[in-house]
Amino acid sequence: MSRIGYARVSTTGQDTATQVDRLKAEGCDIVRQEKASGASREGRTELDTILAFLRPGDELVVVRLDRLGRSTRDVLNLVHELDTKGAFLTVLEPHVTTKGQTGRIVLNVLGMVAEMELGFIKERQKAGIEKAKAEGVYKGRPVSLSHDRIKSLHARGVGATEIAKTVGCSRAAVYKVLRAPVAA
């Protein structure tokens, strides 16, 4: 029986060190970590590796439920996957385990709360953006390509593929710049 820790952060600007330290302090023999969105299982290769090697009696440990997933359905699917392997899940904050029925019920409720929290975050973000737009503060994502350079290269007869290579973007981005209306 192994205790396997899983640490995850969503963005490259975040760090898994605090989670890893906590998981090691809890006695995890192995700790896998990754930087990937928790919105779905896609692209979470470390979690996939853990699931592939779990054996009966093994325990997957996460610091918080949202580190495992943001969707109640995804979390429940993961718990089901663990069940089929004879393994179980332990969440440290708040302490919940799927070893017994009570833990499963609490886990369902926590999963729904995590999903609801994500919805609230998205609503607040959308409201903040709308307010900023109304105040003239929000201008959207800053332009990362030199439109003048793309147009200049195009005017000299350089093709879209070569322009894309030169400025470091996709051909679609080149075409988008070339199709954009001229600012007055």
Side-chain angles (χ1 to χ4, degrees), residues 4 9 22 33 41 54 84 88 105 126 156 165 168 173:
I4 302 165
V9 291
R22 177 79 190 276
Q33 55 188 308
R41 293 267 301 271
L54 281 174
T84 61
F88 60 95
I105 293 168
K126 183 179 176 187
R156 286 189 279 167
K165 287 178 186 175

Side-chain angles (χ1 to χ4, degrees), residues 114-177:
E115 191 169 334
M116 188 174 68
E117 180 184 1
L118 180 61
F120 290 153
I121 290 168
K122 287 181 178 180
E123 284 176 20
R124 285 192 303 268
Q125 182 182 31
K126 183 179 176 187
I129 289 171
E130 287 173 5
K131 181 179 181 224
K133 281 181 178 179
E135 294 172 355
V137 177
Y138 185 82
K139 306 290 186 206
R141 182 178 176 196
V143 176
S144 58
L145 294 174
S146 170
H147 290 211
D148 291 339
R149 185 165 182 218
I150 291 172
K151 289 176 182 177
S152 170
L153 289 167
H154 180 68
R156 286 189 279 167
V158 179
T161 302
E162 192 58 37
I163 293 171
K165 287 178 186 175
T166 302
V167 299
C169 69
S170 68
R171 281 185 4 175
V174 171
Y175 289 125
K176 185 176 180 180
V177 169

Side-chain angles (χ1 to χ4, degrees), residues 43-56:
R44 295 171 63 190
T45 55
E46 294 300 320
L47 180 60
D48 290 340
T49 299
I50 291 170
L51 294 171
F53 287 97
L54 281 174
R55 303 291 175 246

Side-chain angles (χ1 to χ4, degrees), residues 14-81:
Q14 296 173 318
D15 189 10
T16 58
T18 304
Q19 291 177 58
V20 170
D21 291 345
R22 177 79 190 276
L23 293 166
K24 286 181 180 178
E26 289 290 327
C28 291
D29 306 321
I30 300 165
V31 177
R32 306 290 295 213
Q33 55 188 308
E34 63 190 338
K35 294 182 181 187
S37 172
S40 75
R41 293 267 301 271
E42 246 178 75
R44 295 171 63 190
T45 55
E46 294 300 320
L47 180 60
D48 290 340
T49 299
I50 291 170
L51 294 171
F53 287 97
L54 281 174
R55 303 291 175 246
D58 285 350
E59 176 183 16
L60 173 60
V61 183
V62 293
V63 174
R64 289 186 323 272
L65 189 60
D66 67 344
R67 300 300 85 205
L68 194 58
R70 286 287 195 170
S71 157
T72 304
R73 173 63 46 214
D74 282 345
V75 170
L76 294 177
N77 286 342
L78 283 165
V79 170
H80 177 72
E81 221 173 306

Side-chain angles (χ1 to χ4, degrees), residues 84-113:
T84 61
K85 293 176 173 283
F88 60 95
L89 171 68
T90 297
V91 180
L92 301 176
E93 296 174 12
H95 192 275
V96 180
T97 182
T98 61
K99 275 185 180 177
Q101 281 305 113
T102 305
R104 291 176 193 283
I105 293 168
V106 171
L107 194 67
N108 278 302
V109 172
L110 289 175
M112 288 185 286
V113 169

